Amino acid sequence: EDQVTQSPEALRLQEGESSSLNCSYTVSGLRGLFWYRQDPGKGPEFLFTLYSAGEEKEKERLKATLTKKESFLHITAPKPEDSATYLCAVQAGGEDKIIFGKGTRLHILP
Amino acid sequence: DGGITQSPKYLFRKEGQNVTLSCEQNLNHDAMYWYRQDPGQGLRLIYYSQIVNDFQKGDIAEGYSVSREKKESFPLTVTSAQKNPTAFYLCASAGRDRGQPQHFGDGTRLSIL
């Protein structure tokens, strides 16, 4: 069964304290792995798509990487405005649907 | 600007009542999706549509219905058969090619009176 697991469930960091969020997946042939940011009461905002192992994408303080079994979202020198829930999702080969993980709630303390 | 519009932002339902949530997109996307989000549960797929006049059940379709008469619109009806409808409902759309990311609206929060 296709599955996506995110860890940790929640993470509190001091401003400027870099860390990584993990997304482990098991799918039959990866079509794409997606990272989203979700603020309270809002819809998820698309961040990155990764298609193959070894691929990396960057945007401001965020960097997403992909291996054959997991993806990491690295946050460098975070600011309080980076506080949000980060969602990972995967699309398996031959599927029209994507499967979401339960997310990591990130809180950056000033 | 292109995007997805969900309305209303907040909706209240009485027991035994059907309610319809609106979702409109101007991204020229073929595929549209409805999700339900509950605390600690992540996003669960209700229904999706890859093309006009066609749609498929997702993982939790019972108590819900949809229609896709226009490419831009994918309304969701929460029927009285849905026993636990209180949740945050999200609509998304995506390009037809596989591997395209879904883009989301800002959701409708449904509560029971």
Side-chain angles (χ1 to χ4, degrees):
Chain A
E1 182 183 344
D2 298 335
Q3 201 166 3
V4 178
T5 303
Q6 291 188 247
S7 62
E9 288 186 14
L11 182 62
R12 293 166 68 92
L13 299 172
Q14 290 294 136
E15 183 173 2
E17 181 184 0
S18 301
S19 188
S20 297
L21 313 183
N22 178 263
C23 172
S24 298
Y25 63 92
T26 54
V27 291
S28 305
L30 181 69
R31 278 281 182 177
L33 184 142
F34 311 98
W35 281 100
Y36 291 85
R37 169 194 170 124
Q38 186 176 23
D39 293 301
K42 298 282 191 178
E45 174 190 350
F46 170 69
L47 294 173
F48 304 111
T49 305
L50 301 167
Y51 293 105
S52 57
E55 191 174 359
E56 299 182 351
K57 294 271 180 76
E58 283 190 69
K59 180 180 179 180
E60 296 180 356
R61 295 177 291 281
L62 300 176
K63 179 180 178 180
T65 62
L66 181 64
T67 72
K68 288 187 177 180
K69 293 185 177 180
E70 58 190 351
S71 176
F72 292 94
L73 185 65
H74 307 278
I75 302 177
T76 301
K79 299 181 178 181
E81 54 261 42
D82 295 321
S83 298
T85 296
Y86 290 85
L87 300 172
C88 173
V90 298
Q91 184 176 34
E95 288 287 336
D96 295 318
K97 302 179 290 185
I98 67 175
I99 303 166
F100 282 85
K102 294 183 178 181
T104 294
R105 295 188 311 278
L106 178 65
H107 186 50
I108 308 300
L109 301 166
Chain B
D1 284 359
I4 301 174
T5 302
Q6 290 188 242
S7 62
K9 190 167 178 63
Y10 300 96
L11 188 57
F12 299 92
R13 194 190 94 169
K14 293 181 180 179
E15 294 283 349
Q17 194 177 49
N18 293 354
V19 290
T20 298
L21 284 60
S22 171
C23 178
E24 303 277 332
Q25 56 101 357
N26 60 4
L27 299 168
N28 199 33
H29 284 163
D30 287 299
M32 297 187 74
Y33 306 81
W34 274 105
Y35 293 90
R36 171 180 172 140
Q37 188 173 36
D38 297 282
Q41 293 259 24
L43 274 69
R44 292 184 290 169
L45 183 64
I46 304 173
Y47 268 98
Y48 65 104
S49 168
Q50 296 293 106
I51 197 168
V52 173
N53 291 324
D54 188 38
F55 47 83
Q56 287 77 41
K57 292 182 179 180
D59 301 317
I60 55 164
E62 185 174 351
Y64 300 97
S65 66
V66 293
S67 63
R68 186 87 188 275
E69 297 177 0
K70 299 187 300 182
K71 185 176 183 178
E72 301 80 16
S73 179
F74 191 41
L76 173 74
T77 297
V78 184
T79 75
S80 57
Q82 171 51 241
K83 298 306 179 188
N84 186 23
T86 297
F88 189 49
Y89 291 88
L90 287 161
C91 178
S93 70
R96 189 76 183 274
D97 295 335
R98 293 202 176 99
Q100 294 299 307
Q102 295 181 7
H103 296 271
F104 286 82
D106 271 343
T108 292
R109 186 165 299 279
L110 176 63
S111 302
I112 299 301
L113 289 177

